[in-house]
């Protein structure tokens, strides 16, 4: 079941500390909001035993210290993973794989003083954790994405609302003053919180430069966010049409654009990208393709091509994953899809090249990777989210939500730190002679 977006206050306790007893980890969790966290998963004794054997074998050869109920250690030494309830931990993984792994964290059945360190080790070894012969059987046991999460017009609205309409106030607690919810570009590492606004502007300006946005440019932005890119583009003299499916984002973006003095240059529409008309000199989109879904990638890129004026440029910022991992698990239902981004799927650069070549005259002219910058961006968000935990609770988000969100931020950061995930700024142009 997907996370409820209800903001009613919860009486759930704070997450247990590493010294908490391993039993009754889910006591006090709201079963109505988190049924699959509270309810023991359905898994046969055989499936649980096989999962335990595989997981133990994998953990034993990793640079981790895995403490099982305080009585047994596995691993070669490294970041501590404290498994308080091994029986339930293995049962969840046996039933639901990585979904169960994440739900076990949400339930407090395992924890770590350094979750990013633990998850980075796991992400670095993701391709070899399960023996290859068993990986080929993924299609037999792995769950499939629910049909309701497909990126149809209704599905896309529901998927976007699930995440972005949680609460503008929630995002404002951990984002910087630009309200930019995508990777920044820093001058150096480690990054400092005070430098995040400038680093976000640097990212936006690079994208606008890539699209050659300047005075008189007719610009289409797909995915408004909270309006910062539209404001920067309008300040350059562009006229902007920006589309979003989030009503909360539209309302706040319009207010911020009005306060910045660019209401006459920016039109923020509550609109599906497929329903935009007209032609534009430039099109930009920041980390929106991840929500499209592979089934609709051809439609997405054909739409971009149709909206692009002759000689125009498209600049995309996209989170990408390795092509072999996309092909191996692209149809698998994941923890992120269940709890954070319904319908989401990261493309690979190769997949973008294939789709654009087969379905459009668009071609990638330039692709700049800056994944290490996303790891730092996520670290700053995660640390601020942790610091503002009391404020998050004050907005009505219970302890299980806070553990879920902490896991999401740490999980994402680990993906970039391990090099498993990347973020690209891509320039696409239409090759008029290719069609």
């Amino acid at each position: 079941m997907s996370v409820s977006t209800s903001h009613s206050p919860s009486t759930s306790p704070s997450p247990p500390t590493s010294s908490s007893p391993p039993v009754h980890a889910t006591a006090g969790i709201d079963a109505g909001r988190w049924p699959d966290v509270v309810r023991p998963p359905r898994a046969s004794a055989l499936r649980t035993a096989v999962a335990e054997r595989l997981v133990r074998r994998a953990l034993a050869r990793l640079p981790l210290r895995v403490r099982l109920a305080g009585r047994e250690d596995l691993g070669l030494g490294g970041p501590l993973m404290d498994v308080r309830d091994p029986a339930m931990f293995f049962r969840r993984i046996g039933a639901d794989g990585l979904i169960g792994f994440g739900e076990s964290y949400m339930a407090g059945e395992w924890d770590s003083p350094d979750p990013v360190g633990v998850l980075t080790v796991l992400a670095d070894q993701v391709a070899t954790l399960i023996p290859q012969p068993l990986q080929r059987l993924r299609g037999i046991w792995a769950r499939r994405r629910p049909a309701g999460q497909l990126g149809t017009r209704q599905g896309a609205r529901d998927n976007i609302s699930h995440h972005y309409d949680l609460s503008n106030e929630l995002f404002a607690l951990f984002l910087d003053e630009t309200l930019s919810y995508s990777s920044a570009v820093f001058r150096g590492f480690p990054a400092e919180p005070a430098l995040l606004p400038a680093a976000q502007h640097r990212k936006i300006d690079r994208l606008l430069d890539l699209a050659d946005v300047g005075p008189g440019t007719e610009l289409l932005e797909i995915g408004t966010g909270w309006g910062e890119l539209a404001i920067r583009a309008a300040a350059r003299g562009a006229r902007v049409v920006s589309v979003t499916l989030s009503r909360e984002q539209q309302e706040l973006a319009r207010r911020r654009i009005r306060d910045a003095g660019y209401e006459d240059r920016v039109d923020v529409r509550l609109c599906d990208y497929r329903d935009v008309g007209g032609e534009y000199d430039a099109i930009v989109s920041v980390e929106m393709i991840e929500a499209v879904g592979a089934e609709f990638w051809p439609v997405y890129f054909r739409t971009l091509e149709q909206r692009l004026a002759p000689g125009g440029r498209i600049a995309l910022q996209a989170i990408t994953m390795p092509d072999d991992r996309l092909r191996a698990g692209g149809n698998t239902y994941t923890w992120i899809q269940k709890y954070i981004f319904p319908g989401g799927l990261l493309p690979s650069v190769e997949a973008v090249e294939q789709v654009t070549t087969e379905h459009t005259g668009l071609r990638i002219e330039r692709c700049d990777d800056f994944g290490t910058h996303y790891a730092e961006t996520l670290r700053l968000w995660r640390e601020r989210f942790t610091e503002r935990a009391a404020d998050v609770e004050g907005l009505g988000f219970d302890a299980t939500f806070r553990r879920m969100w902490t896991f999401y931020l740490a999980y994402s950061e680990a993906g970039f730190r391990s090099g498993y995930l990347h973020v690209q700024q891509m320039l696409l142009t239409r090759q008029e002679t290719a069609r």
Side-chain angles (χ1 to χ4, degrees), residues 23-250:
V23 295
H24 307 304
T26 60
I29 295 178
D30 185 343
R33 294 187 66 186
W34 311 101
D36 290 349
V37 177
V38 174
R39 180 174 56 234
R42 295 181 179 179
S44 68
L46 176 60
R47 187 160 174 161
T48 299
V50 170
E52 179 172 356
R53 181 176 180 180
L54 289 172
V55 172
R56 280 177 171 272
R57 180 181 175 184
L59 294 176
R61 57 185 175 81
L62 294 181
L64 294 172
R65 180 190 172 201
V66 183
R67 186 167 60 200
L68 300 176
R71 296 188 297 271
E72 178 186 2
D73 280 7
L74 298 173
L76 304 177
L80 173 63
M81 181 179 180
D82 185 9
V83 182
R84 302 167 183 148
D85 189 340
M88 190 59 70
F89 174 75
F90 293 125
R91 182 174 174 179
R92 287 189 190 272
I93 294 175
D96 283 316
L98 290 178
I99 292 178
F101 179 75
E103 288 176 341
S104 187
Y105 183 87
M106 293 167 66
E109 294 157 2
W110 75 269
D111 208 340
S112 172
D114 181 13
V116 174
V118 169
L119 293 168
T120 299
V121 170
L122 295 175
D124 191 50
Q125 302 291 327
V126 68
T128 59
L129 284 175
I130 303 299
Q132 284 295 328
L134 291 179
Q135 287 193 35
R136 288 193 287 270
L137 299 176
R138 177 196 299 265
I140 297 175
W141 60 264
R143 293 174 63 183
R144 297 288 177 169
R145 186 168 32 137
Q149 289 193 7
L150 291 177
T152 62
R153 282 172 171 78
Q154 183 60 53
R157 282 192 293 272
D158 293 343
N159 292 342
I160 293 299
S161 178
H162 175 96
H163 189 81
Y164 291 100
D165 287 340
L166 278 170
S167 163
N168 285 335
E169 292 78 11
L170 171 68
F171 289 99
L173 286 177
F174 69 91
L175 299 179
D176 67 276
E177 64 199 50
T178 71
L179 293 181
S180 297
Y181 189 37
S182 53
S183 181
V185 175
F186 299 96
R187 291 193 184 278
F189 303 134
E192 298 294 332
L195 301 177
L196 190 51
Q200 291 290 3
H201 284 162
R202 189 174 301 114
K203 174 272 302 295
I204 291 171
D205 290 343
R206 283 190 176 191
L207 204 65
L208 295 177
D209 288 346
L210 204 58
D212 200 21
V213 174
T217 300
E218 296 289 336
L219 173 65
L220 171 63
E221 180 188 21
I222 299 179
T224 305
W226 287 277
E228 192 70 15
L229 186 146
I231 291 170
R232 299 287 286 184
R236 292 184 173 209
R239 301 189 67 86
V240 185
V241 170
S242 184
V243 298
T244 179
L245 291 176
S246 168
R247 192 172 297 277
E248 286 210 16
Q249 282 192 332
Q250 181 197 36

Side-chain angles (χ1 to χ4, degrees), residues 331-383:
N331 293 322
T332 302
Y333 188 41
T334 67
W335 182 88
I336 288 285
Q337 291 169 338
K338 182 173 182 178
Y339 286 102
I340 306 297
F341 291 110
L345 180 65
L346 306 183
S348 64
V349 174
E350 292 87 347
V352 173
E353 290 175 333
Q354 180 178 349
V355 171
T356 52
T357 298
E358 292 181 356
H359 297 277
T360 75
L362 300 175
R363 299 294 182 268
I364 298 176
E365 284 199 15
R366 178 173 171 180
C367 194
D368 299 325
D369 186 339
F370 54 107
T372 53
H373 293 257
Y374 218 149
E376 284 294 282
T377 304
L378 283 155
R379 176 181 64 82
L380 296 177
W381 291 347
R382 177 177 53 82
E383 290 174 353

Side-chain angles (χ1 to χ4, degrees), residues 302-326:
R302 281 199 300 265
T303 301
L304 296 186
E305 183 180 30
Q306 290 163 3
R307 301 282 74 80
L308 191 66
R313 296 160 72 93
I314 300 170
L316 305 181
Q317 183 163 312
I319 302 171
T320 62
M321 66 188 301
D323 192 61
D324 61 333
R325 303 312 302 168
L326 172 64

